[in-house]
Amino acid sequence: MSRPRFICLDPRKRKRAAVEAVIGPVGEIAFLKAVPMRLGGYPETEAVAEAALAAAIRPKKGWMGRAAKRKLYALQYNGARRFFERQTGVIAACWNGLNGSRYVFMQGAQDAGARRLFFELAPLPGRITVDPCGVNFRNALPRTVAPFLDWAEKAGVPADGWRSVGGEINQRKGGGALERSEELPALAEPFIFVPLQVPNDSQLRLFGGAYKTVPALIDAVIGAAEHLPDGWHVRIKEHPSAKISFAERIRAATGRRVYLDNATDTFELVQKSRAVLTVNSSVGLEAMFYDKPVIAAGQCFWSLPGVALEAPEPSDLERIFAAPQDLSFDAESRNAFLSYLVERYYIRLDWLADDRAEMPGSEVPKVLAKISEARPLLP
């Protein structure tokens, strides 16, 4: 059987090293420096270009800038689709693939009938996401818990084999200048922890639902906090990499049992909290390794019944905050879900240096399976 051929849109140095480490052992890789372009269009060109424009990391504000960007994405989609129509049998690979040019590259590949692989750093240490459908909320994982429960029963995996990974989770380093809030309640008092995401995070823009901006979540949390029982409070922490601070907006609500705590380690706050609320930050998934109830305000691949709670509207937050002592999760469902992520979904990756990585040979069958899999991943 011939080795598969991958056409990868060239990512930056460290990310390229990760891609090479994962698919280099199983196939041949050709890197493209830029997305091909072509004038001739397709019936889907306009819609794809519009979707790419909506997902762009730095959207143009003026109509001329937006028109130029839309035209660029249209040309790139046409070029990528035509490229993969001619390169039959290859697999398109891309880092992230949610935004702009990378989105149209992968969409062109799909519409040409090519298989695809998306890459992204995993929320768990020492692992990488490799998925045939997309990353984050667009990944190929089932959206119900039943397949995970069936898999866990058939695989006979230990119910808590995933717990060892929790000890490797640490707070991410960031470059933002975050201030300390004064006169905080003691960590021993019951509180809900709200870790904020980076403003303009694509996770918020694409999958945030009612909370596409950081201020939208802050305001909803402040309103919901008024429904907390006596003795409870909310602790908010800004993202360590945030370059824009909403400290004053949060401090203005201190009298309403909402406090800013940028100084305490993120996972100390997770550990001491009674529950964690996020739009769709990876901290929500990581909090499960601390046995915490997790509330998802946005679209998350991990917000499955029994695994996490969903609160897509401010009214849902108000209802949940009114009885935080009742927050819980189903241990069997969560065990099965986390076991699958650790044992089957994420690929192990060992970093040898900043620009060199190595994948253990035991992970090769998992990569080969992902090349042939389509939604859902589980049998």
Side-chain angles (χ1 to χ4, degrees):
M1 181 178 178
S2 60
R3 284 161 60 85
R5 292 177 56 231
F6 300 91
I7 305 295
C8 182
L9 192 57
D10 202 356
R12 293 180 182 178
K13 191 180 205 180
R14 180 177 170 85
K15 296 173 182 177
R16 175 169 174 153
V19 171
E20 289 178 321
V22 171
I23 57 178
V26 303
E28 307 298 328
I29 315 171
F31 287 98
L32 293 181
K33 292 293 183 184
V35 182
M37 291 193 285
R38 183 172 181 265
L39 283 173
Y42 298 86
E44 299 84 1
T45 298
E46 186 176 339
V48 172
E50 192 63 39
L53 184 66
I57 296 175
R58 298 179 183 86
K60 300 292 184 180
K61 294 184 179 179
W63 71 268
M64 290 185 64
R66 290 179 61 83
K69 200 77 169 179
R70 187 185 294 107
K71 182 62 175 178
L72 171 65
Y73 292 147
L75 294 173
Q76 289 178 329
Y77 170 77
N78 296 339
R81 181 165 173 175
R82 184 59 174 162
F83 176 86
F84 284 105
E85 286 173 344
R86 292 178 171 178
Q87 298 281 335
T88 56
V90 301
I91 301 168
C94 183
W95 193 272
N96 188 277
L98 291 175
N99 308 108
S101 296
R102 297 184 183 279
Y103 171 79
V104 297
F105 176 78
M106 295 300 269
Q107 194 63 38
Q110 175 179 272
D111 293 345
R115 288 175 292 169
R116 304 181 298 169
L117 274 189
F118 295 81
F119 292 79
E120 182 63 278
L121 293 176
L124 304 182
R127 287 164 174 80
I128 187 171
T129 300
V130 183
D131 192 286
C133 292
V135 299
N136 301 330
F137 189 65
R138 290 192 182 143
N139 68 28
L141 290 170
R143 296 299 185 254
T144 62
V145 76
F148 297 102
L149 290 168
D150 291 343
W151 169 82
E153 182 179 0
K154 293 174 183 176
V157 295
D160 60 352
W162 50 268
R163 288 191 178 277
S164 60
V165 177
E168 305 171 30
I169 298 174
N170 296 301
Q171 175 174 286
R172 295 167 185 78
K173 296 179 180 179
L178 300 179
E179 305 173 28
R180 187 184 188 97
S181 187
E182 303 299 334
E183 299 181 0
L184 289 166
L187 286 171
E189 295 184 19
F191 68 92
I192 296 173
F193 175 43
V194 183
L196 299 181
Q197 290 161 248
V198 176
N200 203 37
D201 182 355
S202 61
Q203 282 274 76
L204 294 177
R205 291 185 290 106
L206 297 175
F207 312 123
Y211 310 102
K212 295 186 183 298
T213 67
V214 171
L217 179 65
I218 292 172
D219 292 347
V221 168
I222 291 172
E226 296 182 0
H227 299 265
L228 286 170
D230 291 342
W232 283 73
H233 68 277
V234 175
R235 244 175 163 93
I236 297 179
K237 181 173 183 177
E238 295 181 280
H239 195 283
S241 297
K243 297 181 180 179
I244 301 173
S245 175
F246 298 98
E248 293 309 313
R249 194 187 200 102
I250 300 167
R251 288 197 182 103
T254 296
R256 299 161 72 178
R257 293 187 287 176
V258 176
Y259 298 88
L260 177 68
D261 186 351
N262 282 334
T264 307
D265 178 87
T266 297
F267 292 102
E268 182 179 0
L269 290 170
V270 169
Q271 188 174 32
K272 298 291 176 61
S273 71
R274 301 295 179 89
V276 174
L277 163 67
T278 177
V279 176
N280 45 30
S281 167
S282 59
V283 177
L285 177 63
E286 292 162 337
M288 297 181 194
F289 287 80
Y290 291 81
D291 293 307
K292 298 298 175 181
V294 179
I295 307 157
Q299 295 174 306
C300 312
F301 73 89
W302 43 259
S303 61
L304 307 178
V307 177
L309 295 164
E310 292 185 326
E313 300 295 336
S315 58
D316 297 312
L317 288 182
E318 293 173 3
R319 172 179 50 80
I320 290 171
F321 278 35
Q325 69 279 359
D326 295 335
L327 291 171
S328 64
F329 57 89
D330 180 70
E332 184 181 9
S333 297
R334 186 176 281 189
N335 285 342
F337 177 70
L338 294 180
S339 293
Y340 187 83
L341 293 186
V342 171
E343 300 291 335
R344 285 285 309 275
Y345 183 65
Y346 292 123
I347 303 295
R348 282 283 309 279
L349 192 68
D350 299 323
W351 287 99
L352 308 178
D354 190 54
D355 60 347
R356 288 191 299 118
E358 182 179 74
M359 181 182 69
S362 59
E363 301 295 280
V364 169
K366 290 163 65 173
V367 177
L368 290 172
K370 289 176 184 289
I371 292 171
S372 60
E373 286 169 339
R375 185 186 299 272
L377 286 182
L378 288 169

